[in-house]
Amino acid sequence: SRIYCTDGDGYNSSLWVYLDGDATGKFNGDTVKGKLETSADIFVRDGVELVGLEKEYTVSGLKETTKVDLLQYYKVEFKGVNGSGTATVTPTQETLTVGEYVIDLTTGKWTKGDEYFTRTSVWVNDDWGLSNDDKIVLKTDSNNYTLQENGIKITVAEKEITVSNLPTYATALSEIKDYTEAEAGAKQIVLNYLNENWSRAVHGTWFGSYSNQSIGDDIKLYKMVLGTPKSTSSYDKNDLWMIFSVTISDNEIATPTLYYFAVQYDNVAVYADGKLYARDGYANQRGYNAYEGVYAAFIESYNLNIEVSE
């Protein structure tokens, strides 16, 4: 607003009175600063010196405020591999009651009774290409006008989150200390391969008729082989083969024979505690009655630095 005045010489002027800073979204107990936009000695010739050009006011008399920290009801989860991780924001519970309002924390929809009231969002400022120890910010739209008009204050607008627990691509077998999940999955892959495609898995052919197939219950992990590219510019990070042995027989393998099958995982990574993170494995190679046959056919030909377990 303006104050209009006339000096001793009859000259008309005005003084601008305003609130410094953002005066919206205020609650009881907040402060605002009022200022007079002029020089203190503007009327000094008339023997008038202006004082109190600034004054701080405490907000009061507004509708009672209901405060809520929305961010405490959300968590940030990290997936993927160190350097290319992603962040996902999910609620820790389905709904939250704030005064007479119910919030669906998944959709952000606020309702009062059966009526839609407003909607809020919670997100992170960066959600992909993440590495361990990166700092990202969990945010919410705290300046929601509808909430402010109805006396609801979101008390925390931002919360810094440190990216953690993303696995790192494996470079040595010694880094892999817990591979039980991948081993169980690979074992099932071998069994499925034998049950679904015996001709290809055992005899390396898409044709032929075989009978009296038998799969022993002695299937076990025989060796693990880790290969890392010799070229540092390679797009692939590594390959992990889990070699399984199992006794099999059919009408052409009259004497039960120990066969070896390789299940391959591409680009495996390891968590800080040594647990293996492996995507889907596959075994579309035939089996051999000696480990050396599997190695020569499916591993040795790669241009990799090879490490074989005991």
Side-chain angles (χ1 to χ4, degrees):
S1 62
R2 290 186 180 276
I3 300 174
Y4 295 93
C5 53
T6 304
D7 63 15
D9 296 326
Y11 180 75
N12 296 321
S13 62
S14 64
L15 308 178
W16 182 31
V17 182
Y18 66 97
L19 293 177
D20 186 29
D22 188 1
T24 62
K26 297 299 181 180
F27 294 84
N28 291 330
D30 290 344
T31 57
V32 294
K33 181 180 291 186
K35 283 189 175 183
L36 185 63
E37 182 64 22
T38 188
S39 170
D41 59 1
I42 187 174
F43 297 127
V44 70
R45 286 191 340 170
D46 299 310
V48 177
E49 181 181 359
L50 298 179
V51 296
L53 299 183
E54 294 185 7
K55 184 176 181 180
E56 192 172 82
Y57 300 89
T58 299
V59 179
S60 62
L62 299 179
K63 182 179 178 180
E64 188 63 30
T65 302
T66 300
K67 298 181 179 180
V68 58
D69 175 8
L70 269 185
L71 295 186
Q72 70 173 307
Y73 300 100
Y74 289 85
K75 62 182 178 180
V76 180
E77 298 177 302
F78 302 108
K79 296 181 180 179
V81 180
N82 189 30
S84 59
T86 60
T88 304
V89 180
T90 55
T92 57
Q93 60 192 56
E94 293 183 358
T95 61
L96 174 68
T97 300
V98 177
E100 55 189 342
Y101 305 99
V102 175
I103 315 168
D104 183 326
L105 293 175
T106 300
T107 64
K109 183 178 179 181
W110 292 56
T111 54
K112 181 180 179 181
D114 295 328
E115 296 182 3
Y116 171 77
F117 178 64
T118 189
R119 188 181 299 273
T120 51
S121 300
V122 176
W123 70 96
V124 288
N125 67 325
D126 191 3
D127 61 1
W128 65 280
L130 302 175
S131 300
N132 288 326
D133 298 324
D134 283 351
K135 306 294 184 183
I136 63 175
V137 181
L138 181 65
K139 295 184 174 185
T140 185
D141 45 358
S142 59
N143 292 324
N144 184 294
Y145 180 77
T146 302
L147 295 181
Q148 294 173 359
E149 286 292 291
N150 287 271
I152 300 171
K153 181 177 184 179
I154 296 179
T155 57
V156 180
E158 299 184 352
K159 184 184 296 184
E160 186 176 80
I161 306 290
T162 301
V163 179
S164 63
N165 203 36
L166 290 174
T168 301
Y169 289 113
T171 59
L173 284 174
S174 60
E175 298 170 359
I176 305 173
K177 297 178 173 59
D178 179 1
Y179 47 86
T180 52
E181 288 184 12
E183 180 184 357
K187 178 180 178 181
Q188 192 60 51
I189 288 172
V190 173
L191 292 174
N192 290 345
Y193 190 30
L194 285 167
N195 285 312
E196 296 169 4
N197 199 343
W198 184 273
S199 296
R200 176 64 177 161
V202 177
H203 298 281
T205 177
W206 297 107
F207 309 100
S209 178
Y210 302 94
S211 59
N212 302 323
Q213 296 97 328
S214 175
I215 303 172
D217 59 5
D218 59 343
I219 183 170
K220 65 179 181 180
L221 181 62
Y222 177 72
K223 284 184 184 297
M224 289 201 302
V225 180
L226 180 68
T228 54
K230 291 181 179 179
S231 170
T232 56
S233 61
S234 174
Y235 177 79
D236 293 327
K237 304 302 181 182
N238 58 49
D239 291 281
L240 177 68
W241 289 269
M242 288 187 168
I243 315 300
F244 287 82
S245 63
V246 60
T247 300
I248 62 174
S249 63
D250 62 20
N251 61 316
E252 289 195 6
I253 307 173
T255 302
T257 303
L258 200 61
Y259 262 63
Y260 298 84
F261 295 88
V263 175
Q264 184 175 352
Y265 289 96
D266 299 329
N267 297 320
V268 300
V270 183
Y271 291 98
D273 61 0
K275 184 175 181 179
L276 183 67
Y277 169 79
R279 299 175 177 86
D280 294 337
Y282 56 93
N284 55 7
Q285 314 93 343
R286 60 166 293 187
Y288 285 80
N289 60 9
Y291 160 73
E292 290 75 15
V294 174
Y295 184 87
F298 308 120
I299 301 173
E300 193 173 41
S301 61
Y302 287 82
N303 184 30
L304 300 172
N305 298 306
I306 297 294
E307 182 184 0
V308 182
S309 66
E310 296 296 330

